[in-house]
Amino acid sequence: MIRVLAVSFAALAAAAAPAFAADAPLDVETTVVAPSDGVQPDWRVTLKATGVVGPEFEGARDYSVTGYPGLSIRRPGQPWKFGAPDDGFGFALFDSAMFQIGPVARIKSKRDSSDERRIRGVHDVDWAVEPGVFVEFYPTTNTRIRGELRHGVGGHDGFVGDIAADWIERFGAFTVSAGPRLSLGDSDFMNEYFGVTTRDALRNGRLSRYKADGGIKSVGAAAAVTYDWTPNWSTTAFGAYNRLVGDAADSPIVRRLKSKDQFTVGLGVAYTFDFNW
């Protein structure tokens, strides 16, 4: 499974690299808050609050409303960079006009089988933190390709990966984006969320034992619209659709819940300010 993720990331890099030299860098970002003493600020900080309506857990049939904070930190004066609502939280250790790389993390919600009558008896999964690394390419001024490779801590201990491509357009105060999504997981991850143990099958009585192999977990698309009310405040509305495929879709859990199709919608607010260390 790790080899599959590595090959996918290598293909991503190879496809994007030839276009770099032919395109000019993105516009340099303007200062959000002009320093009164004329000193360039050390950092540009963005605080975010987002509300989301989505599946209660991976492969769930029922939906719930959740909220989470967000934070991004970058150097002022760097070229403007796009951020999709479904990106993991991270910051760039290397940042150029067409390339970024740095640490990333996500939080994965728990699964309580007692919340879904049809899969009661299946093992629960605790909350998980997924630290890892992200890579971004801007092959053109309107195109971003991003890959994330992460490892679970807590609820699962598998490797997971996400690959996203976005077409980005800016219309005055509006920024519009849309593009495809691909998610992968190794056998440890897939078995934790989609596998059915012998004990699970006995306790549930209607699900058969199932072992999931690693591979592509889902394919889909996401879109977002951001409006900048002021240089400091912005609002983002977004939506995503993902369809479970492969061993995830064949899981007795997913078949029992009839939940191959997963939808997400949300609304976020962000505040950006300059900060001197």
Side-chain angles (χ1 to χ4, degrees), residues 29-33 40-46 72-77 272-275:
E29 190 176 28
T30 58
T31 302
V32 175
V33 180
Q40 178 75 0
D42 296 324
W43 300 100
R44 180 152 299 154
V45 180
T46 300
S72 66
I73 304 172
R74 60 194 185 278
R75 290 282 189 180
T272 301
F273 61 95
D274 288 338
F275 176 75

Side-chain angles (χ1 to χ4, degrees), residues 123-188:
H123 65 277
D124 295 334
V125 183
D126 204 355
W127 290 88
V129 179
E130 297 176 346
V133 62
F134 80 90
V135 178
E136 278 191 2
F137 296 98
Y138 283 81
T140 73
T141 56
N142 298 97
T143 307
R144 184 197 73 155
I145 302 173
R146 178 184 174 100
E148 294 183 14
L149 179 62
R150 308 180 306 278
H151 186 271
V153 177
H156 75 90
D157 59 358
F159 282 94
V160 291
D162 290 281
I163 300 175
D166 289 281
W167 180 260
I168 309 153
E169 289 286 353
R170 302 183 76 181
F171 305 97
F174 286 95
T175 300
V176 181
S177 64
R181 299 291 188 267
L182 175 71
S183 294
L184 308 97
D186 69 4
S187 57
D188 290 335

Side-chain angles (χ1 to χ4, degrees), residues 86-133:
D86 58 343
D87 290 348
F89 162 67
F91 60 92
L93 294 178
F94 178 84
D95 188 357
S96 68
M98 298 180 181
F99 179 79
Q100 278 190 317
I101 185 170
V104 70
R106 295 192 188 214
I107 298 176
K108 194 167 189 63
S109 62
K110 67 177 181 178
R111 181 181 73 191
D112 187 345
S113 62
S114 64
D115 293 337
E116 288 276 9
R117 178 179 54 84
R118 297 186 179 189
I119 62 167
R120 284 179 183 170
V122 175
H123 65 277
D124 295 334
V125 183
D126 204 355
W127 290 88
V129 179
E130 297 176 346
V133 62

Side-chain angles (χ1 to χ4, degrees), residues 111 122-123 190-197 200 210 212 251 253:
R111 181 181 73 191
V122 175
H123 65 277
M190 298 287 279
N191 264 314
E192 191 64 49
Y193 289 93
F194 302 103
V196 179
T197 67
D200 293 341
Y210 181 75
S251 167
I253 296 173

Side-chain angles (χ1 to χ4, degrees), residues 18 20 36 47 49-50 64 77 97 112 118 158 160 177 203 219 221 233 237 241 275:
F20 289 171
S36 59
L47 303 176
T50 304
S64 62
D112 187 345
R118 297 186 179 189
V160 291
S177 64
R203 292 175 61 181
V219 295
W233 289 95
Y241 164 73
F275 176 75

